[in-house]
Each structure stands twice: as structure tokens, then as C-alpha cells.
Amino acid sequence: MSSLPIAVQVYSVREAAGADLYVTLKQIKEMGYDGVEFAGLYGNDPADIKAWCQELGLVPISAHVALVDMLKDPIGVLSKYAEIGCKYVVVPYLVPEHRPGHPNFDYVVEFIRILCKAAKALGMQMLYHNHDFEFLKVDGKYALDILYDTIPADLLKTEIDTCWVNVGGEDPSDYISKYSGRAPVVHLKDFNGEKSEDMYELIGIEKKAPARPSGFEFRPVGKGLQDFAAILEASRAAGAEWVVVEQDQATMGLSPMESIKASIDYLKSFEW
């Protein structure tokens, strides 16, 4: 029995969601998930999604929204997720020309600050979802820490992705603890293997990854290298409100649906 509610990032089952979001949400609820985090609406109306979540008893806790989409029309884009009832909205990813080490990064930080204010105006809290590239040091400090030091905590809170923290060379539990009180949502993601040059191909953002007999792969929670007992305890102690399962690509011969079912089964199998 878990001490925190568990959600799933719908991107983990994106093909099913694209085919029929209502049926997908129903299956997610039947697996035992308490909530969902969106990454797009799959052509559905926000009012319908809100009604489906209410009918099924799923909490629409948050949404990943592309930075460039938010910048084009902050209120117009964010209001869709406010209508659904999302408490949080998340900067999910930075394209290479927006990342630390690029001259644009300082400007991107200020753009994110503006979006944080837009989210606040709509009654939502902005979060930032890290990968590993934020663990580039700038003047001796990780870019991720620079981001959180630059934008105050009332405007920007964390969505620490535990896989990418590990890949970035830091201990996920320590990083959650570091941002205690600023970590309302924690991403639970497991993996096996070592960092590789084509990792971003694996999450569907860059070109298709070549098939490999070994190396890095995402796995259901509890099936890889992560110490989830420590991660979950750190999340609870840091004041997290939700933990969110995310698996960017199904592996181990499992389908995406089977993968997220394996994750929820694992998380409900022990006390934490």
C-alpha cells in the first residue's frame, strides 16, 4: 500500500491514447492508478477530458506542454489545461538550441519565468521536468540548479525525473531531498544499461533509434537499476503530493499497457 497517490504519464501509452483517449483512461483507472498526467489532448475537447476524468475517478494532476507552444499563446494554450482541472503544468523538454551551454539559455530561463506567471494567472503552478542535459555545469553549478535559483520557488517548482537525474550522474533520492518543499510531483522511471549517444532517439524526440542487443533501455518501475525504496521515501519526506510513472518506450517484450501495469503492480506491492 502506497502512502502517496500514483499517476501515470499518458505519453507512456500514447498510441492507445491517440486511438481512443477515453478507453485508455478507463484502462488506466482499472489498473489502479489514481491520476494522470497529460502530454497533449489527442484531438479531444478539454471539457470532454474533464468529464471523463470525473466519471472515471481519475485526477488530472498535470500536463506536459511544449515550451514553444506555450510561448506562442501562453493563456490560450494553458487555459485548456486549466479547464481540464490540472493543478500543475510542466515545461517538459528543451530542444538543443534552448539548452544549457547554448547562448539562448539565459533568455529561455526568462521566458520560463514569464510562463510561470501566466500559469499563476490561471490558477496553476508551473513545474520543470529535467533530463540529463541540465546537469551541465555553468561556472561550477549545474544548470538545473541555476534555473531553480534564478526563478523563485513560488513561480517554479520541480518535477524531478529520477531516471534522468541518475543518468546525469547524481543520486535521485538526494536530488529530491535537496528540493524538499519544492517537489510536489516526482517522476518514477526505471532503466537498465549505460548512457548512450542515441538516448534521445529512444524517447521519440529525435530520429528512430537503431535496434541494439544491449545498452540503455527504459523499463517498468522495479525492473531496472533504480533504488525505489529510497526514492519513494525521499519523495514522501520532501512533501511530494504525487508520484508519476513514466516509461518513454516499452521494452522487455511488454506492450506499453503491460509496462505501466507492471509498474503500478510493483508500487502497490510494498509499504512506503
Side-chain angles (χ1 to χ4, degrees):
M1 180 65 67
S2 63
S3 61
L4 288 173
I6 306 168
V8 65
Q9 168 53 261
V10 179
Y11 183 78
S12 305
V13 288
R14 52 195 175 275
E15 290 187 8
D20 193 321
L21 182 57
Y22 175 80
V23 169
T24 302
L25 294 175
K26 186 172 186 292
Q27 292 174 323
I28 286 170
K29 179 62 178 180
E30 289 170 349
M31 290 179 190
Y33 283 99
D34 304 297
V36 285
E37 179 176 68
F38 292 101
L41 304 182
Y42 302 98
N44 296 282
D45 187 88
D48 290 335
I49 296 174
K50 179 179 181 178
W52 295 339
C53 288
Q54 290 176 337
E55 174 192 336
L56 297 169
L58 282 171
V59 179
I61 62 166
S62 51
H64 281 197
V65 186
L67 178 65
V68 292
D69 290 343
M70 290 192 281
L71 288 172
K72 289 176 184 176
D73 182 10
I75 298 300
V77 171
L78 294 177
S79 63
K80 296 177 182 179
Y81 297 96
E83 182 179 354
I84 291 170
C86 294
K87 182 176 181 179
Y88 300 104
V89 63
V90 190
V91 177
Y93 179 78
L94 298 180
V95 297
E97 60 268 28
H98 290 164
R99 293 178 190 171
H102 193 284
N104 286 333
F105 181 66
D106 289 344
Y107 297 98
V108 169
V109 172
E110 292 309 309
F111 292 152
I112 292 173
R113 184 197 298 268
I114 293 169
L115 293 173
C116 291
K117 293 179 179 179
K120 282 284 187 185
L122 291 167
M124 295 188 293
Q125 172 68 57
M126 186 70 73
L127 309 179
Y128 183 86
H129 170 269
N130 65 276
H131 289 78
D132 67 315
F133 50 74
E134 295 89 349
F135 289 92
L136 172 73
K137 285 193 173 181
V138 179
D139 296 328
K141 181 186 291 187
Y142 285 134
L144 186 61
D145 296 321
I146 292 173
L147 174 67
Y148 293 132
D149 288 347
T150 304
I151 303 176
D154 65 315
L155 288 179
L156 183 65
K157 299 189 186 299
T158 72
E159 184 176 66
I160 293 172
D161 186 296
T162 55
C163 167
W164 293 113
V165 171
N166 195 329
V167 171
E170 293 294 335
D171 183 279
S173 302
D174 290 345
Y175 236 80
I176 294 166
S177 299
K178 178 175 184 176
Y179 287 101
S180 182
R182 197 176 178 176
V185 182
V186 176
H187 259 209
L188 306 182
K189 185 184 296 182
D190 214 345
F191 70 98
N192 193 52
E194 299 294 329
K195 182 175 180 177
S196 66
E197 294 302 316
D198 58 359
M199 290 178 68
Y200 287 97
E201 297 172 3
L202 295 175
I203 62 176
I205 292 175
E206 297 174 6
K207 66 181 182 179
K208 185 177 179 181
R212 292 177 298 170
S214 61
F216 183 93
E217 66 177 15
F218 298 110
R219 289 191 173 183
V221 173
K223 302 294 186 182
L225 301 176
Q226 297 272 56
D227 182 355
F228 281 106
I231 287 170
L232 293 167
E233 175 55 29
S235 300
R236 185 197 60 76
E241 299 170 8
W242 286 86
V243 291
V244 178
V245 168
E246 182 182 47
Q247 186 171 347
D248 301 87
Q249 184 184 68
T251 58
M252 302 179 69
L254 301 174
S255 70
M257 280 292 183
E258 290 169 337
S259 297
I260 66 168
K261 178 65 163 59
S263 291
I264 189 71
D265 288 348
Y266 171 80
L267 290 170
K268 288 183 175 292
S269 70
F270 63 95
E271 296 284 345
W272 50 279

